[in-house]
Amino acid sequence: MFAGRLIARFGAAAVVSAGIVLFAAGLAIWATLLGAEPNAPAIVAGVMLIGIGVGLTFPTLMGVGAGALPPSSFATGSGVINMIRQAALAIGVAIFVAILATPVSMPERIAAFQRGWWIMIAITLAGFVPNYLFIRRKADR
């Protein structure tokens, strides 16, 4: 509901961009503030930013993607969109787990944990490329 009002006011590309930035900011909190000792405020702050980012990004992308489909292809197209989203999430988790799986000592584990989040941030920020190429350009036409 809130994202819909933002889309109406600023456009889908701006809402997706804001979602990407908030998601990456939540990951950056985890990459910089989490370590061997528990840090509940950092965990909560990261979760909140990531949640808002996901809430702005995924529904907006689903709406833009499904809205671009012809009525005769809506069911198949929305299924493909969901399948791509799920596959991308599974690949992201697999990459993160692969990064975490190798270290043995605690300092190496913490370094791998932080490196994993920075890699996830880079992958997240790469989302600006299709956002600009497909959503923003379409809005400019």
Side-chain angles (χ1 to χ4, degrees), residues 37-124:
E37 298 298 319
N39 186 343
I43 292 170
V44 171
V47 167
M48 288 176 63
L49 290 173
I50 290 168
I52 294 168
V54 167
L56 291 175
T57 304
F58 283 163
T60 304
L61 290 175
M62 291 298 297
V64 168
L69 296 169
S72 62
S73 300
F74 182 79
T76 303
S78 62
V80 170
I81 291 168
N82 274 307
M83 183 267 315
I84 291 170
R85 179 180 56 87
Q86 290 291 333
L89 290 168
I91 290 168
V93 169
I95 291 170
F96 192 76
V97 169
I99 293 166
L100 293 179
T102 53
V104 177
S105 70
M106 183 56 81
E108 289 174 337
R109 288 179 184 170
I110 292 171
F113 179 80
Q114 292 168 336
R115 184 174 43 255
W117 289 124
W118 287 113
I119 291 169
M120 292 299 115
I121 291 167
I123 292 169
T124 299

Side-chain angles (χ1 to χ4, degrees), residues 17-33 42-43 45-51 53 117-118 120-122 124-125 128:
S17 294
I20 289 170
V21 167
L22 290 169
F23 188 90
L27 295 179
I29 287 172
W30 288 353
T32 56
L33 298 178
I43 292 170
V47 167
M48 288 176 63
L49 290 173
I50 290 168
W117 289 124
W118 287 113
M120 292 299 115
I121 291 167
T124 299
L125 294 176
F128 279 117

